[in-house]
Structure formats: structure tokens, C-alpha cells
Amino acid sequence: MSKIMWKPGSFVYPIPAVMVSCGDMENSNIITVAWTGIVCSDPATVYISIRPERHSYEMIKETGEFVINLTNEDLIYATDWCGVKSGRDVDKFKEMKLTKEKCNFVKCPGIKESPVSVECRVKEIKEIGVHHMFIAEVLSVNPKEEYIDEKGAFDISKCDLIAYANGRYFSLGKQLGTFGYSVKKDKQK
């Protein structure tokens, strides 16, 4: 079967569905973001893209900080809810019974229930169409201890992380290989 041509669109799926916390410990908000990813590994740099009319946009622009909180199956309802409700109208931490967690380097809270919280400081804002991209330096990666294996590595298979694709949420499933497995020499020879 051949491929058909569609008009250009954002169709690089799946992508992470994350809850981004911002503000400070007293005046905070959570926005669900699927437009997020890695920009560079050294220095560790990530991005989130947000529409300027969103409540969190001004908070992040003003403070220059945010926390990317990875989401899992336990957080799927809160992830969706925080994406469709406005922080102008509701306290998302309170309504979703999420716990604010003090961070190491930023004033905004992390989400304690998240398997991993990534503390970020904005380095640049790029205005690209209807979204503005916040390019940020990673200051700290804070995984829950229960997801660290006996070698001290983060075991992503224990997290039940979720992804977003074309208006739907998905679980990430099983591991299929490791980086470089296709060229690794057979050690039994």
C-alpha cells in the first residue's frame, strides 16, 4: 500500500504529555504540555511551547523558571484535567489533590506525585506562530527513589510513563532494545 499526502502539520508522534508547574510555592499553576522535548544534551537544554494567552505563559515569562513533571498512568486524569482547565479559574494542585514539592534551584514547585521532575531556567523565548517556545537550561533532574535501580540508574520501565499522539494518551509499553544494540558485537564468539 502506498502513502497518501496530507497538508503540513504537527505529526511527529508520540510525544511526552507532561505537567509543567510554574509560579512559586504560594502562587502556582500547572499546565499540561505536549509540545516539549530535548534541544541539546550538553549543555542539557529542553523546550516547552505555550500559547501566549495561557495563564501559565506570563508566570513563566515573568519568573524565567518552570518544572517539567513527567506523567504516568496514575496521573493520566490529572494530566488531562490540567490541560483543559484554566489556572485563572481553579487551583489545579488543590482540585487534583497534587502535592507541591520544594525544588532545589527554582522557586516554583515540582509535583511530588510525578515520577521525575526536571527543574528548568529559561534562556530564550522564540515566538513561532501561535506558540512561543521557552528554551531552558536543565538545572536538576529529580527522580523518585523508587525508580532508581540497584546500579543507581533511572529505570524508566517501572514508571508507566504516558505519551500523547493525535489527541489521545498512550502507555509507553515494553522495552524493545537498547541504544547501539544493532551494532553490538556478539560476546559469545
Side-chain angles (χ1 to χ4, degrees):
M1 210 174 243
S2 63
K3 294 180 181 175
I4 61 171
M5 185 175 71
W6 284 356
K7 67 177 183 162
S10 55
F11 208 85
V12 180
Y13 290 126
I15 52 180
V18 301
M19 292 192 290
V20 175
S21 47
C22 57
D24 58 38
M25 294 300 282
E26 291 76 42
N27 181 27
S28 56
N29 192 42
I30 301 168
I31 181 172
T32 298
V33 173
W35 308 152
T36 185
I38 299 165
V39 175
C40 185
S41 59
D42 188 14
T45 308
V46 295
Y47 77 92
I48 58 172
S49 291
I50 302 175
R51 290 178 182 245
E53 63 268 18
R54 300 291 188 236
H55 181 60
S56 295
Y57 178 90
E58 282 302 322
M59 294 174 96
I60 295 170
K61 188 173 179 183
E62 183 178 309
T63 64
E65 301 176 338
F66 59 88
V67 179
I68 296 174
N69 300 278
L70 299 187
T71 56
N72 59 15
E73 291 182 28
D74 291 340
L75 292 169
I76 185 68
Y77 185 87
T79 300
D80 185 66
W81 195 89
C82 288
V84 296
K85 296 290 185 174
S86 174
R88 287 183 184 93
D89 305 322
V90 295
D91 179 337
K92 295 180 186 182
F93 275 99
K94 181 180 174 186
E95 293 297 320
M96 288 293 99
K97 298 178 175 56
L98 296 170
T99 310
K100 293 180 184 182
E101 184 171 54
K102 188 169 176 15
C103 287
N104 299 300
F105 299 102
V106 297
K107 293 178 183 166
C108 51
I111 299 173
K112 186 174 184 175
E113 292 78 8
S114 170
V116 181
S117 298
V118 181
E119 298 180 41
C120 303
R121 180 162 296 128
V122 176
K123 297 308 242 176
E124 183 179 350
I125 303 170
K126 289 201 165 286
E127 297 181 13
I128 305 172
V130 297
H131 287 80
H132 292 185
M133 179 187 288
F134 290 87
I135 299 171
E137 173 187 10
V138 174
L139 303 176
S140 180
V141 177
N142 310 319
K144 282 186 167 183
E145 281 187 59
E146 65 194 83
Y147 301 122
I148 305 300
D149 68 16
E150 60 280 348
K151 295 178 183 174
F154 177 64
D155 186 351
I156 198 167
S157 68
K158 294 180 180 179
C159 294
D160 298 321
L161 294 177
I162 61 173
Y164 177 84
N166 205 26
R168 299 180 190 108
Y169 302 100
F170 296 90
S171 62
L172 286 180
K174 66 181 182 178
Q175 178 179 323
L176 302 176
T178 59
F179 179 76
Y181 83 97
S182 64
V183 295
K184 194 173 188 178
K185 295 192 189 258
D186 186 358
K187 296 197 182 216
Q188 294 181 0
K189 288 185 179 178

